[in-house]
Protein backbone atom coordinates (compact mmCIF):
# COMPACT_ATOMS: atom_id res chain seq x y z
CA UNK A 1 0.00 0.00 0.00
CA UNK A 2 2.85 2.36 0.86
CA UNK A 3 4.43 1.79 -2.56
CA UNK A 4 1.12 2.42 -4.31
CA UNK A 5 0.62 5.70 -2.46
CA UNK A 6 4.18 6.80 -3.23
CA UNK A 7 3.75 6.01 -6.92
CA UNK A 8 0.47 7.94 -6.98
CA UNK A 9 2.06 10.92 -5.26
CA UNK A 10 4.94 10.83 -7.75
CA UNK A 11 2.52 10.74 -10.67
CA UNK A 12 0.59 13.67 -9.25
CA UNK A 13 3.71 15.74 -8.70
CA UNK A 14 5.10 15.05 -12.15
CA UNK A 15 2.12 16.60 -13.85
CA UNK A 16 -1.53 16.47 -14.74
CA UNK A 17 -2.63 13.41 -16.71
CA UNK A 18 -4.20 13.59 -20.12
CA UNK A 19 -7.68 12.10 -20.17
CA UNK A 20 -6.67 9.68 -22.90
CA UNK A 21 -3.98 8.02 -20.79
CA UNK A 22 -6.01 4.80 -20.66
CA UNK A 23 -5.89 4.73 -24.47
CA UNK A 24 -5.90 6.85 -27.57
CA UNK A 25 -8.89 8.99 -28.52
CA UNK A 26 -9.91 8.94 -32.17
CA UNK A 27 -12.63 11.03 -33.79
CA UNK A 28 -14.58 10.77 -37.03
CA UNK A 29 -17.58 12.32 -38.74
CA UNK A 30 -19.82 10.38 -41.12
CA UNK A 31 -21.29 11.91 -44.26
CA UNK A 32 -24.71 12.14 -42.58
CA UNK A 33 -23.27 14.31 -39.80
CA UNK A 34 -22.85 11.74 -37.02
CA UNK A 35 -19.85 12.51 -34.81
CA UNK A 36 -17.88 9.53 -33.47
CA UNK A 37 -15.48 9.40 -30.54
CA UNK A 38 -13.51 6.22 -29.82
CA UNK A 39 -11.64 5.83 -26.51
CA UNK A 40 -9.40 2.79 -26.42
CA UNK A 41 -8.94 0.85 -23.18
CA UNK A 42 -7.78 -2.73 -23.67
CA UNK A 43 -7.45 -3.71 -20.01
CA UNK A 44 -10.73 -5.66 -20.01
CA UNK A 45 -12.82 -7.16 -22.86
CA UNK A 46 -15.67 -4.72 -22.23
CA UNK A 47 -17.11 -1.86 -24.25
CA UNK A 48 -19.45 1.04 -23.51
CA UNK A 49 -21.55 2.50 -26.31
CA UNK A 50 -23.20 5.86 -25.69
CA UNK A 51 -25.36 7.83 -28.12
CA UNK A 52 -25.85 11.47 -27.15
CA UNK A 53 -28.42 13.83 -28.64
CA UNK A 54 -28.01 17.59 -28.51
CA UNK A 55 -31.50 17.97 -27.12
CA UNK A 56 -32.55 18.26 -23.50
CA UNK A 57 -35.15 19.81 -21.27
CA UNK A 58 -33.91 23.34 -21.96
CA UNK A 59 -34.69 22.86 -25.66
CA UNK A 60 -38.39 22.12 -25.08
CA UNK A 61 -40.94 24.61 -26.29
CA UNK A 62 -43.14 26.25 -23.61
CA UNK A 63 -46.08 24.14 -22.50
CA UNK A 64 -44.60 20.68 -23.01
CA UNK A 65 -42.07 20.48 -20.19
CA UNK A 66 -40.91 16.93 -19.62
CA UNK A 67 -41.27 15.82 -23.25
CA UNK A 68 -37.52 15.14 -23.60
CA UNK A 69 -37.61 12.80 -20.60
CA UNK A 70 -40.92 11.32 -21.80
CA UNK A 71 -39.38 10.34 -25.13
CA UNK A 72 -36.34 8.89 -23.34
CA UNK A 73 -38.73 6.37 -21.75
CA UNK A 74 -40.57 5.75 -25.01
CA UNK A 75 -37.34 4.94 -26.86
CA UNK A 76 -37.40 1.52 -25.19
CA UNK A 77 -40.77 0.65 -26.75
CA UNK A 78 -39.54 -0.85 -30.00
CA UNK A 79 -39.21 -0.73 -33.76
CA UNK A 80 -40.21 -3.03 -36.61
CA UNK A 81 -37.08 -5.08 -35.82
CA UNK A 82 -37.15 -5.07 -32.01
CA UNK A 83 -40.42 -5.64 -30.17
CA UNK A 84 -41.61 -3.28 -27.47
CA UNK A 85 -39.63 -3.80 -24.27
CA UNK A 86 -37.18 -6.24 -25.91
CA UNK A 87 -34.22 -3.87 -26.22
CA UNK A 88 -33.10 -4.14 -22.59
CA UNK A 89 -33.94 -7.83 -22.40
CA UNK A 90 -31.67 -8.56 -25.37
CA UNK A 91 -28.83 -6.57 -23.82
CA UNK A 92 -29.26 -8.40 -20.51
CA UNK A 93 -29.45 -11.79 -22.21
CA UNK A 94 -26.05 -11.04 -23.73
CA UNK A 95 -24.53 -10.26 -20.35
CA UNK A 96 -24.78 -6.49 -20.59
CA UNK A 97 -26.66 -3.62 -19.00
CA UNK A 98 -28.24 -0.49 -20.44
CA UNK A 99 -29.97 2.70 -19.43
CA UNK A 100 -30.57 6.30 -20.44
CA UNK A 101 -30.78 9.76 -18.91
CA UNK A 102 -31.99 13.25 -19.75
CA UNK A 103 -30.41 16.53 -18.68
CA UNK A 104 -31.16 20.14 -19.54
CA UNK A 105 -28.66 20.00 -22.42
CA UNK A 106 -28.74 16.43 -23.71
CA UNK A 107 -30.32 13.00 -23.77
CA UNK A 108 -28.08 9.92 -23.77
CA UNK A 109 -28.52 6.16 -24.18
CA UNK A 110 -25.84 3.66 -23.24
CA UNK A 111 -24.97 -0.02 -23.02
CA UNK A 112 -22.09 -1.75 -21.24
CA UNK A 113 -21.41 -5.16 -22.75
CA UNK A 114 -18.70 -7.61 -23.78
CA UNK A 115 -16.59 -6.16 -26.58
CA UNK A 116 -17.59 -8.92 -29.02
CA UNK A 117 -21.24 -7.83 -28.66
CA UNK A 118 -20.66 -4.25 -29.83
CA UNK A 119 -22.16 -4.91 -33.26
CA UNK A 120 -25.37 -6.19 -31.65
CA UNK A 121 -25.99 -3.10 -29.53
CA UNK A 122 -24.88 -0.75 -32.28
CA UNK A 123 -27.38 -2.30 -34.68
CA UNK A 124 -30.22 -1.92 -32.18
CA UNK A 125 -29.27 1.62 -31.16
CA UNK A 126 -29.04 2.78 -34.77
CA UNK A 127 -32.39 1.14 -35.50
CA UNK A 128 -34.25 3.14 -32.87
CA UNK A 129 -32.56 6.41 -33.83
CA UNK A 130 -34.92 6.78 -36.81
CA UNK A 131 -37.40 3.88 -36.68
CA UNK A 132 -39.22 4.13 -33.34
CA UNK A 133 -42.81 2.82 -33.27
CA UNK A 134 -45.35 3.99 -30.68
CA UNK A 135 -48.77 2.47 -30.10
CA UNK A 136 -51.60 4.09 -28.15
CA UNK A 137 -50.98 1.75 -25.23
CA UNK A 138 -47.24 2.48 -25.28
CA UNK A 139 -47.39 6.22 -24.80
CA UNK A 140 -50.33 6.30 -22.39
CA UNK A 141 -48.77 3.69 -20.13
CA UNK A 142 -45.40 5.44 -20.15
CA UNK A 143 -46.96 8.81 -19.36
CA UNK A 144 -48.33 7.28 -16.18
CA UNK A 145 -44.85 5.90 -15.44
CA UNK A 146 -43.17 9.31 -15.62
CA UNK A 147 -45.93 10.90 -13.52
CA UNK A 148 -45.38 8.22 -10.88
CA UNK A 149 -41.64 8.87 -11.14
CA UNK A 150 -42.33 12.51 -10.34
CA UNK A 151 -44.52 11.42 -7.41
CA UNK A 152 -41.69 9.35 -5.95
CA UNK A 153 -38.65 11.49 -6.75
CA UNK A 154 -40.04 15.01 -6.39
CA UNK A 155 -43.48 15.40 -4.87
CA UNK A 156 -42.77 13.04 -1.97
CA UNK A 157 -39.32 14.55 -1.26
CA UNK A 158 -39.19 18.01 0.38
CA UNK A 159 -35.56 18.42 -0.66
CA UNK A 160 -36.41 17.81 -4.31
CA UNK A 161 -39.31 20.29 -4.18
CA UNK A 162 -37.03 22.85 -2.54
CA UNK A 163 -34.40 22.36 -5.26
CA UNK A 164 -37.02 22.72 -7.98
CA UNK A 165 -38.36 25.96 -6.46
CA UNK A 166 -34.88 27.42 -6.04
CA UNK A 167 -33.98 26.68 -9.63
CA UNK A 168 -37.16 28.35 -10.85
CA UNK A 169 -36.17 31.43 -8.82
CA UNK A 170 -32.62 31.32 -10.17
CA UNK A 171 -33.61 31.39 -13.84
CA UNK A 172 -36.30 33.94 -14.57
CA UNK A 173 -35.99 33.76 -18.34
CA UNK A 174 -33.71 30.87 -19.27
CA UNK A 175 -35.32 27.41 -19.68
CA UNK A 176 -32.88 25.96 -17.14
CA UNK A 177 -35.54 27.11 -14.67
CA UNK A 178 -37.92 24.31 -15.64
CA UNK A 179 -37.45 20.79 -14.20
CA UNK A 180 -36.09 18.08 -16.47
CA UNK A 181 -38.90 15.75 -15.45
CA UNK A 182 -41.42 18.49 -16.21
CA UNK A 183 -44.08 20.42 -14.36
CA UNK A 184 -46.79 18.01 -13.30
CA UNK A 185 -49.71 19.78 -14.98
CA UNK A 186 -47.85 19.80 -18.29
CA UNK A 187 -46.72 16.20 -17.96
CA UNK A 188 -50.34 15.13 -17.53
CA UNK A 189 -51.18 16.75 -20.88
CA UNK A 190 -48.33 15.21 -22.92
CA UNK A 191 -49.47 13.27 -25.99
CA UNK A 192 -48.13 10.78 -28.50
CA UNK A 193 -47.85 13.59 -31.03
CA UNK A 194 -45.80 15.70 -28.61
CA UNK A 195 -43.34 12.82 -28.22
CA UNK A 196 -43.16 12.08 -31.94
CA UNK A 197 -42.69 15.76 -32.81
CA UNK A 198 -39.71 15.86 -30.43
CA UNK A 199 -38.35 12.61 -31.88
CA UNK A 200 -38.68 13.72 -35.50
CA UNK A 201 -37.06 17.07 -34.75
CA UNK A 202 -34.02 16.02 -32.75
CA UNK A 203 -33.30 12.31 -33.17
CA UNK A 204 -31.09 12.18 -36.23
CA UNK A 205 -27.44 11.40 -36.95
CA UNK A 206 -26.57 15.06 -37.58
CA UNK A 207 -27.74 15.89 -34.05
CA UNK A 208 -26.02 12.95 -32.35
CA UNK A 209 -22.63 11.90 -31.00
CA UNK A 210 -21.57 8.26 -30.80
CA UNK A 211 -19.04 7.58 -28.04
CA UNK A 212 -17.52 4.09 -27.86
CA UNK A 213 -15.06 3.35 -25.07
CA UNK A 214 -13.29 0.14 -24.14
CA UNK A 215 -11.61 -2.83 -25.77
CA UNK A 216 -12.07 -1.75 -29.38
CA UNK A 217 -10.02 -0.57 -32.33
CA UNK A 218 -11.01 2.73 -33.97
CA UNK A 219 -11.14 1.20 -37.45
CA UNK A 220 -13.50 -1.50 -36.17
CA UNK A 221 -15.84 1.07 -34.62
CA UNK A 222 -15.78 3.24 -37.73
CA UNK A 223 -16.64 0.29 -39.98
CA UNK A 224 -19.58 -0.74 -37.79
CA UNK A 225 -20.80 2.84 -37.51
CA UNK A 226 -20.76 3.26 -41.27
CA UNK A 227 -22.75 0.05 -41.65
CA UNK A 228 -25.47 0.82 -39.09
CA UNK A 229 -25.53 4.57 -38.52
CA UNK A 230 -24.16 5.69 -41.86
CA UNK A 231 -27.29 4.60 -43.75
CA UNK A 232 -29.59 6.84 -41.66
CA UNK A 233 -30.87 10.02 -43.23
CA UNK A 234 -29.96 13.30 -41.54
CA UNK A 235 -32.65 15.72 -40.42
CA UNK A 236 -33.06 18.88 -42.54
CA UNK A 237 -34.43 20.90 -39.59
CA UNK A 238 -31.45 20.76 -37.22
CA UNK A 239 -30.17 24.27 -36.51
CA UNK A 240 -27.74 25.71 -33.94
CA UNK A 241 -29.36 25.99 -30.54
CA UNK A 242 -30.49 29.47 -29.54
CA UNK A 243 -32.12 29.92 -26.15
CA UNK A 244 -33.50 32.85 -24.15
CA UNK A 245 -30.80 34.19 -21.84
CA UNK A 246 -31.00 35.63 -18.33
CA UNK A 247 -31.25 39.39 -17.85
CA UNK A 248 -28.85 40.93 -15.32
CA UNK A 249 -29.91 40.12 -11.75
CA UNK A 250 -30.25 43.36 -9.80
CA UNK A 251 -31.48 42.16 -6.41
CA UNK A 252 -31.07 39.11 -4.22
CA UNK A 253 -33.89 36.60 -4.39
CA UNK A 254 -34.92 34.74 -1.25
CA UNK A 255 -37.36 31.96 -0.50
CA UNK A 256 -38.40 29.87 2.48
CA UNK A 257 -39.75 26.38 1.91
CA UNK A 258 -41.52 24.95 4.94
CA UNK A 259 -42.65 21.33 5.12
CA UNK A 260 -43.36 19.31 8.28
CA UNK A 261 -41.53 16.34 6.74
CA UNK A 262 -38.19 18.19 6.90
CA UNK A 263 -35.95 16.47 9.46
CA UNK A 264 -32.85 18.68 9.04
CA UNK A 265 -33.22 22.38 8.21
CA UNK A 266 -30.58 23.80 5.87
CA UNK A 267 -29.84 26.76 3.67
CA UNK A 268 -28.53 26.97 0.12
CA UNK A 269 -27.20 30.03 -1.63
CA UNK A 270 -26.51 29.93 -5.35
CA UNK A 271 -25.07 32.36 -7.86
CA UNK A 272 -25.17 32.33 -11.64
CA UNK A 273 -21.69 31.42 -12.83
CA UNK A 274 -19.98 31.09 -16.21
CA UNK A 275 -19.71 27.69 -17.80
CA UNK A 276 -16.74 26.16 -19.59
CA UNK A 277 -16.47 27.76 -23.03
CA UNK A 278 -14.57 26.35 -26.01
CA UNK A 279 -11.02 27.68 -25.93
CA UNK A 280 -11.75 29.73 -22.79
CA UNK A 281 -12.02 27.46 -19.75
CA UNK A 282 -9.87 29.47 -17.33
CA UNK A 283 -12.67 31.06 -15.29
CA UNK A 284 -14.46 27.73 -15.00
CA UNK A 285 -11.24 26.10 -13.84
CA UNK A 286 -10.78 28.75 -11.15
CA UNK A 287 -14.37 28.20 -9.97
CA UNK A 288 -13.81 24.43 -9.90
CA UNK A 289 -10.88 24.90 -7.53
CA UNK A 290 -12.79 27.53 -5.51
CA UNK A 291 -15.63 25.05 -4.90
CA UNK A 292 -13.17 22.44 -3.69
CA UNK A 293 -11.41 24.94 -1.41
CA UNK A 294 -14.66 26.02 0.20
CA UNK A 295 -16.56 22.77 0.46
CA UNK A 296 -15.00 19.91 -1.44
CA UNK A 297 -13.82 17.93 1.57
CA UNK A 298 -15.89 17.27 4.69
CA UNK A 299 -12.87 17.47 6.97
CA UNK A 300 -10.43 20.03 5.60
CA UNK A 301 -12.39 22.47 3.41
CA UNK A 302 -12.73 26.05 4.60
CA UNK A 303 -16.45 25.88 5.43
CA UNK A 304 -16.03 22.58 7.25
CA UNK A 305 -13.15 23.88 9.36
CA UNK A 306 -14.76 27.19 10.23
CA UNK A 307 -18.40 26.19 10.69
CA UNK A 308 -18.32 22.51 11.66
CA UNK A 309 -15.19 22.22 13.79
CA UNK A 310 -14.16 25.68 15.01
CA UNK A 311 -17.51 27.31 15.82
CA UNK A 312 -19.69 24.15 15.68
CA UNK A 313 -22.36 26.22 13.98
CA UNK A 314 -23.05 23.51 11.41
CA UNK A 315 -23.25 19.74 11.10
CA UNK A 316 -22.76 19.84 7.34
CA UNK A 317 -21.34 22.30 4.82
CA UNK A 318 -20.54 22.11 1.15
CA UNK A 319 -19.95 23.94 -2.10
CA UNK A 320 -20.74 22.85 -5.63
CA UNK A 321 -19.97 23.92 -9.18
CA UNK A 322 -20.19 22.05 -12.49
CA UNK A 323 -19.04 24.06 -15.47
CA UNK A 324 -20.09 21.52 -18.10
CA UNK A 325 -23.16 23.40 -19.30
CA UNK A 326 -24.24 24.99 -22.57
CA UNK A 327 -25.27 28.24 -20.87
CA UNK A 328 -24.60 29.91 -17.52
CA UNK A 329 -24.53 27.41 -14.67
CA UNK A 330 -24.60 27.87 -10.88
CA UNK A 331 -22.16 27.93 -7.97
CA UNK A 332 -23.80 26.83 -4.71
CA UNK A 333 -23.03 26.92 -0.97
CA UNK A 334 -24.73 24.65 1.59
CA UNK A 335 -25.03 24.88 5.37
CA UNK A 336 -27.01 22.59 7.70
CA UNK A 337 -27.01 24.18 11.18
CA UNK A 338 -26.32 22.26 14.37
CA UNK A 339 -29.07 21.64 16.93
CA UNK A 340 -30.14 24.89 18.56
CA UNK A 341 -28.71 27.05 15.76
CA UNK A 342 -31.24 28.93 13.64
CA UNK A 343 -30.98 29.41 9.90
CA UNK A 344 -30.44 33.16 10.32
CA UNK A 345 -27.47 32.55 12.63
CA UNK A 346 -26.05 29.93 10.25
CA UNK A 347 -26.38 32.29 7.30
CA UNK A 348 -24.66 35.11 9.20
CA UNK A 349 -21.81 32.74 10.05
CA UNK A 350 -21.52 31.73 6.38
CA UNK A 351 -21.33 35.40 5.38
CA UNK A 352 -18.60 36.02 7.95
CA UNK A 353 -16.49 33.14 6.64
CA UNK A 354 -16.85 34.36 3.05
CA UNK A 355 -15.95 37.92 4.06
CA UNK A 356 -12.80 36.71 5.84
CA UNK A 357 -11.88 34.55 2.87
CA UNK A 358 -12.22 37.45 0.43
CA UNK A 359 -10.09 39.61 2.72
CA UNK A 360 -7.38 37.11 3.67
CA UNK A 361 -7.22 34.90 0.58
CA UNK A 362 -6.03 31.30 0.52
CA UNK A 363 -2.70 30.01 1.84
CA UNK A 364 -0.22 28.41 -0.51
CA UNK A 365 -0.12 25.08 1.35
CA UNK A 366 -3.92 24.78 1.39
CA UNK A 367 -4.13 25.75 -2.27
CA UNK A 368 -1.58 23.13 -3.30
CA UNK A 369 -3.33 20.48 -1.21
CA UNK A 370 -6.58 21.09 -3.05
CA UNK A 371 -4.90 21.04 -6.46
CA UNK A 372 -3.18 17.77 -5.56
CA UNK A 373 -6.53 16.25 -4.60
CA UNK A 374 -8.01 17.33 -7.93
CA UNK A 375 -5.02 15.89 -9.80
CA UNK A 376 -5.49 12.58 -8.04
CA UNK A 377 -9.20 12.57 -8.93
CA UNK A 378 -8.26 13.07 -12.58
CA UNK A 379 -5.97 10.03 -12.40
CA UNK A 380 -8.56 7.82 -10.74
CA UNK A 381 -11.17 8.91 -13.31
CA UNK A 382 -9.21 7.19 -16.04
CA UNK A 383 -10.01 3.80 -14.51
CA UNK A 384 -13.71 4.34 -15.24
CA UNK A 385 -14.22 3.81 -18.95
CA UNK A 386 -17.92 4.70 -18.72
CA UNK A 387 -17.02 7.87 -16.86
CA UNK A 388 -14.60 8.85 -19.60
CA UNK A 389 -17.25 8.22 -22.24
CA UNK A 390 -19.64 10.42 -20.30
CA UNK A 391 -17.05 13.15 -19.92
CA UNK A 392 -16.60 13.41 -23.67
CA UNK A 393 -20.33 13.19 -24.37
CA UNK A 394 -21.16 15.85 -21.79
CA UNK A 395 -18.56 18.16 -23.25
CA UNK A 396 -19.53 17.76 -26.90
CA UNK A 397 -23.23 18.28 -26.21
CA UNK A 398 -22.51 21.52 -24.33
CA UNK A 399 -20.47 23.22 -27.01
CA UNK A 400 -16.96 22.06 -26.11
CA UNK A 401 -14.56 20.33 -28.46
CA UNK A 402 -12.29 17.30 -28.04
CA UNK A 403 -9.36 19.70 -27.62
CA UNK A 404 -11.13 21.36 -24.68
CA UNK A 405 -11.61 18.02 -22.92
CA UNK A 406 -8.00 17.07 -23.39
CA UNK A 407 -6.76 20.52 -22.32
CA UNK A 408 -8.91 20.66 -19.17
CA UNK A 409 -6.32 19.08 -16.80
CA UNK A 410 -3.68 21.51 -18.02
CA UNK A 411 -6.06 24.45 -17.63
CA UNK A 412 -6.73 23.35 -14.04
CA UNK A 413 -3.01 23.00 -13.39
CA UNK A 414 -2.36 26.55 -14.56
CA UNK A 415 -4.83 28.14 -12.12
CA UNK A 416 -3.15 30.41 -9.56
CA UNK A 417 -4.27 31.64 -6.17
CA UNK A 418 -4.81 35.07 -7.73
CA UNK A 419 -7.11 33.50 -10.35
CA UNK A 420 -9.21 31.85 -7.65
CA UNK A 421 -9.53 35.02 -5.58
CA UNK A 422 -10.44 37.06 -8.66
CA UNK A 423 -13.16 34.55 -9.53
CA UNK A 424 -14.46 34.60 -5.93
CA UNK A 425 -14.69 38.41 -5.84
CA UNK A 426 -16.57 38.46 -9.14
CA UNK A 427 -18.92 35.72 -7.96
CA UNK A 428 -19.84 36.53 -4.37
CA UNK A 429 -22.23 39.46 -4.76
CA UNK A 430 -25.41 39.06 -2.69
CA UNK A 431 -27.31 41.17 -5.21
CA UNK A 432 -26.85 38.34 -7.69
CA UNK A 433 -27.65 35.47 -5.34
CA UNK A 434 -30.63 33.21 -4.65
CA UNK A 435 -30.82 32.21 -0.98
CA UNK A 436 -33.19 29.49 0.15
CA UNK A 437 -34.11 28.23 3.60
CA UNK A 438 -35.64 24.78 4.04
CA UNK A 439 -37.35 24.23 7.35
CA UNK A 440 -40.17 22.28 9.04
CA UNK A 441 -41.36 25.53 10.63
CA UNK A 442 -43.75 27.91 8.78
CA UNK A 443 -42.20 31.28 8.03
CA UNK A 444 -44.52 33.14 10.41
CA UNK A 445 -43.24 31.06 13.30
CA UNK A 446 -39.62 31.63 12.28
CA UNK A 447 -40.08 35.39 12.47
CA UNK A 448 -41.57 35.37 15.97
Amino acid sequence: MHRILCLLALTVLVGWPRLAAAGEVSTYRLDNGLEIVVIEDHRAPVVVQMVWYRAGAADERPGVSGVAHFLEHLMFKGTDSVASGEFSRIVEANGGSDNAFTTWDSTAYFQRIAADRLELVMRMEADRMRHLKLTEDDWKTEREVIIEERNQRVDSDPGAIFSEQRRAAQYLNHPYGRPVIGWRHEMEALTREDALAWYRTYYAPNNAILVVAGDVLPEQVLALARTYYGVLAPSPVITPRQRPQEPPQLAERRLVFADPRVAQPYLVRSYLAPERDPGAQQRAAALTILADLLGGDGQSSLLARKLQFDSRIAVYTGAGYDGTSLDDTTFSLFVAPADGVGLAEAEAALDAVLADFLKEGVGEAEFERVKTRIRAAEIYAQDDVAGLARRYGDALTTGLAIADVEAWPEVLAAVTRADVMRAARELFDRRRAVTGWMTPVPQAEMLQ
Side-chain angles (χ1 to χ4, degrees):
M1 178 60 71
H2 177 71
R3 289 186 61 195
I4 292 172
L5 292 174
C6 288
L7 287 171
L8 173 60
L10 178 61
T11 305
V12 167
L13 290 172
V14 166
W16 291 68
R18 296 184 65 84
L19 290 179
E24 292 300 316
V25 176
S26 303
T27 61
Y28 308 95
R29 182 186 291 269
L30 299 186
D31 291 341
N32 60 8
L34 179 71
E35 294 182 45
I36 303 171
V37 179
V38 183
I39 307 167
E40 293 181 71
D41 186 338
H42 302 290
R43 291 175 294 181
V46 175
V47 67
V48 173
Q49 174 185 233
M50 303 189 79
V51 170
W52 297 72
Y53 294 96
R54 291 185 175 92
D59 300 299
E60 297 164 345
R61 63 179 175 83
V64 290
S65 65
V67 70
H69 176 250
F70 183 33
L71 182 64
E72 176 211 310
H73 279 242
L74 291 171
M75 283 288 283
F76 292 86
K77 290 306 177 184
T79 66
D80 287 339
S81 303
V82 179
S84 180
E86 283 297 309
F87 191 108
S88 295
R89 283 195 283 270
I90 293 172
V91 173
E92 184 178 4
N94 281 271
S97 60
D98 74 316
N99 214 324
F101 56 85
T102 305
T103 72
W104 282 276
D105 292 320
S106 62
T107 310
Y109 302 83
F110 62 92
Q111 304 86 38
R112 183 181 180 93
I113 201 163
D116 62 359
R117 301 292 196 277
L118 175 61
E119 182 172 8
L120 169 68
V121 294
M122 191 177 285
R123 181 176 67 245
M124 294 196 299
E125 192 65 78
D127 181 35
R128 66 177 175 177
M129 180 179 283
R130 297 297 263 167
H131 304 129
L132 180 67
K133 302 294 183 183
L134 297 179
T135 69
E136 285 293 319
D137 289 341
D138 283 340
W139 76 266
K140 288 182 178 178
T141 299
E142 211 58 41
R143 187 176 65 183
E144 294 307 309
V145 170
I146 63 170
I147 290 172
E148 181 56 29
E149 184 178 339
R150 182 181 169 91
N151 287 339
Q152 295 180 6
R153 295 188 178 184
V154 181
D155 297 336
S156 63
D157 181 352
I161 300 172
F162 180 47
S163 178
E164 190 175 81
Q165 292 294 304
R166 284 189 292 104
R167 193 171 185 95
Q170 186 86 65
Y171 293 98
L172 296 183
N173 194 50
H174 193 285
Y176 283 164
R178 70 171 68 110
V180 169
I181 199 168
W183 298 114
R184 185 186 183 94
H185 66 287
E186 293 182 349
M187 295 170 66
E188 292 172 340
L190 290 173
T191 67
R192 177 176 180 270
E193 284 309 309
D194 291 329
L196 288 175
W198 180 264
Y199 176 70
R200 292 167 184 150
T201 300
Y202 294 111
Y203 279 51
N206 54 326
N207 198 45
I209 301 157
L210 169 66
V211 183
V212 177
D215 189 19
V216 293
L217 296 175
E219 299 81 4
Q220 168 202 9
V221 174
L222 179 59
L224 290 173
R226 282 174 172 160
T227 299
Y228 295 108
Y229 292 102
V231 297
L232 302 176
S235 169
V237 298
I238 299 297
T239 58
R241 290 191 278 189
Q242 295 182 339
R243 297 167 172 171
Q245 298 297 304
E246 281 296 292
Q249 184 177 342
L250 305 178
E252 182 182 13
R253 300 165 196 157
R254 300 187 65 88
L255 66 153
V256 176
F257 179 71
D259 190 307
R261 296 172 294 177
V262 173
Q264 171 64 63
Y266 61 90
L267 69 92
V268 181
R269 183 182 297 157
S270 55
Y271 306 80
L272 281 183
E275 75 283 4
R276 290 167 61 185
D277 290 322
Q281 303 183 89
Q282 290 80 7
R283 288 182 67 193
L287 290 170
T288 298
I289 293 177
L290 175 64
D292 204 289
L293 278 167
L294 294 178
D297 182 85
Q299 301 295 319
S300 61
S301 66
L302 179 66
L303 293 180
R305 292 199 321 270
K306 297 291 187 180
L307 299 181
Q308 294 175 231
F309 300 109
D310 292 351
S311 66
R312 299 186 182 274
I313 288 286
V315 294
Y316 172 79
T317 58
Y321 169 77
D322 182 1
T324 309
S325 174
L326 185 63
D327 297 312
D328 279 352
T329 184
T330 58
F331 187 107
S332 300
L333 303 167
F334 312 85
V335 179
D339 287 344
V341 177
L343 289 169
E345 182 181 355
E347 185 175 349
L350 170 65
D351 287 332
V353 171
L354 293 178
D356 288 344
F357 174 72
L358 293 175
K359 180 180 178 180
E360 299 171 4
V362 57
E364 183 176 357
E366 181 181 7
F367 182 69
E368 289 303 321
R369 182 169 61 249
V370 167
K371 291 186 75 173
T372 298
R373 184 164 64 236
I374 293 175
R375 290 170 193 160
E378 292 289 328
I379 293 171
Y380 291 136
Q382 294 175 60
D383 284 334
D384 181 1
V385 69
L388 283 176
R390 179 159 185 166
R391 188 176 293 202
Y392 278 90
D394 269 331
L396 294 175
T397 52
T398 54
L400 298 173
I402 295 292
D404 296 307
V405 181
E406 295 181 341
W408 180 240
E410 296 169 4
V411 175
L412 285 168
V415 172
T416 65
R417 286 186 289 164
D419 294 331
V420 170
M421 296 312 301
R422 187 182 308 111
R425 293 186 181 100
E426 292 172 352
L427 180 71
F428 293 139
D429 184 341
R430 288 282 294 273
R431 295 170 299 177
R432 296 197 291 270
V434 174
T435 303
W437 290 6
M438 178 159 148
T439 172
V441 181
Q443 188 170 9
E445 296 180 25
M446 294 178 64
L447 298 177
Q448 291 178 356

